[in-house]
Amino acid sequence: MEEKLKALAGSLQGELYTDDTTRLLYATDASTYSEMPLAVAVPRSVADLKLLIEFAGEEGTSLIPRTAGTSLAGQVVGSGIVVDVSKYFNQFIALNTTERWVKVQPGVVRDELNKYLRNYGLFFGPETSTANRAMIGGMVGNNSCGSNSILYKSTREHTLEIKALLSDASEVTFKALNFEEFIAKCEGTSLEARLYRSIRSQLGNYENQQEIRKEFPRSDIERRNTGYAIDILLDTAPFTAGAEDFNFCKLIAGSEGTLAFITEVKLNLEPLPPAHSGLLCVHFNTLEAALQANLVALKYQPNAVELIDHYILECTRDNMEQRANSFFVQGEPAALLVIEYARASRAEVMEVAARVEAELRNLGLGYYFPLLFGQDIKKVWSLRKAGLGLLGNLPGDEKAVPVIEDTAVAVQDLPAYIRDFNAILSKHGLYAVHYAHAGSGELHLRPILNLKTEQGTRMFRLIAEEIALLVKKYKGSLSGEHGDGRLRGEFIAQMVGEKNYALLKAIKATWDPRNIFNPGKIIDSPPMDTMLRYTAGQKGFDFKTVFRYEGQNMLQHIEQCNGSGDCRKSHLAGGTMCPSYMATHDEKDTTRARANILRNFLTHSEQVNKFDHREIKEILDLCLSCKGCKSECPSNVDMAKLKAEFLQHYQDANGIPFRSRLIANFSRIAALGAMAPRLYNWMMTGRGVSHAVKKISGFAAGRSMPEIQYTTLRSWFLKHQRDTWKGEVLQSTKKVYFFCDEFTNYQDTEIGIKAILLLEALGYEVILPKHLESGRASISKGLLRRARKIAQHNVWCLDPLINEASPLIGIEPSAILTFRDEYPDLVNDDQLDVARKLAANVLLIDEFLAREIQRGNIKQSDFSTEARTVVLHGHCQQKAFNALSATEQVLSFPVNYKVETIPSGCCGMAGSFGYEKEHYSLSMQIAELVLFPEIRKQTDQVIIAATGTSCRHQIKDGTGKRALHPVEILYNCLLLK
């Protein structure tokens, strides 16, 4: 097979990967399943897909279609060839605004489609919680719905045409057919003709019709995805008189890639919703009250009714981004009901919300009824959509497991169903998380289980079996929108009856007689408790790490990644995570891939040093350590921390590279350079010598090197004290300690000087305490034991000085934020409480100034009234701590200063990353996504601001423009210097 795969790879226009690392990364999705595929194909054309189909048929293997890989039931996990169409099949083919349809390839992202359509006043309705990375092919395959399905139903209702390849590699187009067209399609000897004849025979049979209507889920349950949708096809002409025209798209939607390979999809579009919407976020003391209130809310024609229970809210406490998005929560509610109403005016929204509130209060349901508008709506929906990822925050080995999380019943049955559901769990000593689509009769219900134990694995199956019986009792659907996959496939016969299951098997056999397309999903699924990601009784992780992982070990922190794929969003979605994926669109460059490779080797490696694997190093290489995942990953997976930990132990076995030693010792080298700055700068910038230095050091030839200043900040400050104070003590009750980080001390001295002068002009006594470097460079290169010594010394010498009244402030985000981020996880146990206390009083200078402005200690009259526009790029680590708003606030504090924040993620420099020769090209590619184009658009009159030293250097190298630190801007507009 190896030689045959090599020959296939040579025939494809795209790529075919057979290496163990790539196969490992595609062995799982967002489900609990894991199975090593034969290969991974990334096709570029329909011709590639045809070759793959022919190869699979001839060699007796299978094809597993995959887009974003966020499926929860193991739909894209299998032993065949995984076919990833997300990278190249992402084109918009045609748009008809008059007839309101768009034609796209399956790799188009749902939110990016709507971003494109917004200019035409249209949008594609179904909205999954993964909409910023979910792709149309996957949405059709799963028949995805989303929070607004009350109004827009499922993907099936909006799928007009599908162009696909059948199992004999023939091209077909499925669309609505009238009676004459349907009969004509039945004629001939092609596979397509056989499909039409077969369905005509099956659904034309009266006994089959009766059995389908008797056994399939209730037709008033919009979210029903159990098996193939023959119940829905039955309700079309010619099988039901007067019904809509027959369309095989209804069958393909929800078929999980088991019947045909989709190459194009034509979608129905809707006019943009009313301009005014509001969220009524009702708080309840009990889950039961929320479910009863749901029935009231539905009477008033909402766009969405979503439930969030207290478990989800508790998980937000450990996630910086979602903690901020929980601003509206009052008290400790057992559940929230988020009800969206959209109307022609805000007044109408307020009127309907008032009526709902009045009825709920009259019934004694709910205790707090905030009504939110504008940007607050986006924050609440972000919180709701983060639900799946947030559940990964549960510490330890017990997780909220997807097993019966997709059941749907008639909405009026939901309160009784949930009571019965929780009674079953209670009987087994279990409890569940409840969230999502209350308005559609579907809650995502996840029991807390430990699948690393035999008891947990047994309970995984037992709960699935008992809940399947309960769903059947309510004539509900075991799958509402997440699909059957290999999780629910074995229960389909039970849910629809053996006779109907035989029909489904016959459909699969007719469409795919050689079992090429995604076998083991829906039909003939293996037992649902086999090929799990975790093995019952597997050994625990007992490796001694340098970092502290509070309440868990390193492996458990890695396992917080549940595969939800938030790290696959593009630059169009905004945010920072994950810059390397945004540039390459390769799965291997996602945070998820890095977590997967770490999890696999730390779990299964037989080596004493489990980190000593080059495969891990290769996958972690393009992690920029930007910290975007620390805040934007709902599961709080801190990959920068994990990479640093890995590098320490990998280098224990393989040695520290010369370049890494240089970078980690930047402070020492700069100190030596400061003794002869002209010589140092000549070596960094002189035409011949600089090239040699870069070549020896492994830095990119095209990258300019930063110079050091002719005086250090500490030297200037000593002279400044003598010249200004002449030995007298400045009488001020406002005192701050200034962290003289290594970058400011040697390279950005002028910025440090202006920061100190600004603070003094505003009435603050500035003290430069004695301390070591920040340790940032050592951390980034995995020299964690060295960084620990630095952290412990700095905590020891600064703790006696620092408190809320006299905080420690700094101007370089990557340096000062080590006190709040890494130090508490690095210091020894006896310093932990001290490090945490110190961290609470460490601020970016932007945060300090914003705080003082809010306290009324800084006046606008101190600054110029000249009108200026400032365009701001925020530092990644600053954004990870939600601290960019402080920068925006202080820059807009002068009366006529207007601040516009560039919606850029990482600048691409990321400390030393962008200097390194093998990373330089990617570094610039990342910056070209958003940052550079936005900077180039600015006129010379616009002030460009960037808080990070590496960000400013990247902007200079990439655009030729100079960016200023915010303190420079404030100092320059200060009236009294």
Side-chain angles (χ1 to χ4, degrees), residues 46 49 65 67 85 89-96 100-110 113 116-117 124 126 135-144 154-165 171-175 247-250 252-255 257 260-269:
V46 172
L49 293 176
T67 50
V85 298
F89 279 74
N90 54 11
Q91 300 301 304
F92 298 86
I93 298 167
L95 172 65
N96 188 314
R100 297 211 311 250
W101 57 259
V102 67
K103 192 176 290 185
V104 298
Q105 290 184 313
V108 167
V109 174
R110 186 269 183 190
L113 170 62
Y116 165 73
L117 293 172
F124 173 61
M135 298 175 182
I136 298 302
M139 292 185 71
V140 172
N142 276 354
N143 188 34
S144 301
S154 69
T155 302
R156 177 181 288 127
E157 282 75 30
H158 297 271
T159 304
L160 304 176
E161 292 182 14
I162 288 176
K163 185 178 280 190
L165 298 176
E171 293 188 53
V172 294
T173 299
F174 297 114
K175 60 182 180 179
N247 190 339
F248 258 139
C249 292
K250 296 184 183 299
I252 295 174
S255 66
F261 206 110
I262 298 171
T263 60
E264 293 180 14
V265 185
K266 181 179 176 182
L267 298 168
N268 169 66
L269 304 176

Side-chain angles (χ1 to χ4, degrees), residues 501-535:
Y501 187 64
L503 286 178
L504 304 187
K505 292 185 71 171
I507 288 171
K508 171 69 172 175
T510 304
W511 285 68
D512 186 19
R514 294 181 293 178
N515 214 20
I516 290 171
F517 294 134
N518 211 10
K521 318 306 186 312
I522 299 179
I523 298 301
D524 297 325
S525 300
M528 54 83 71
D529 51 356
T530 57
M531 303 305 294
L532 297 177
R533 183 184 292 193
Y534 303 115
T535 304

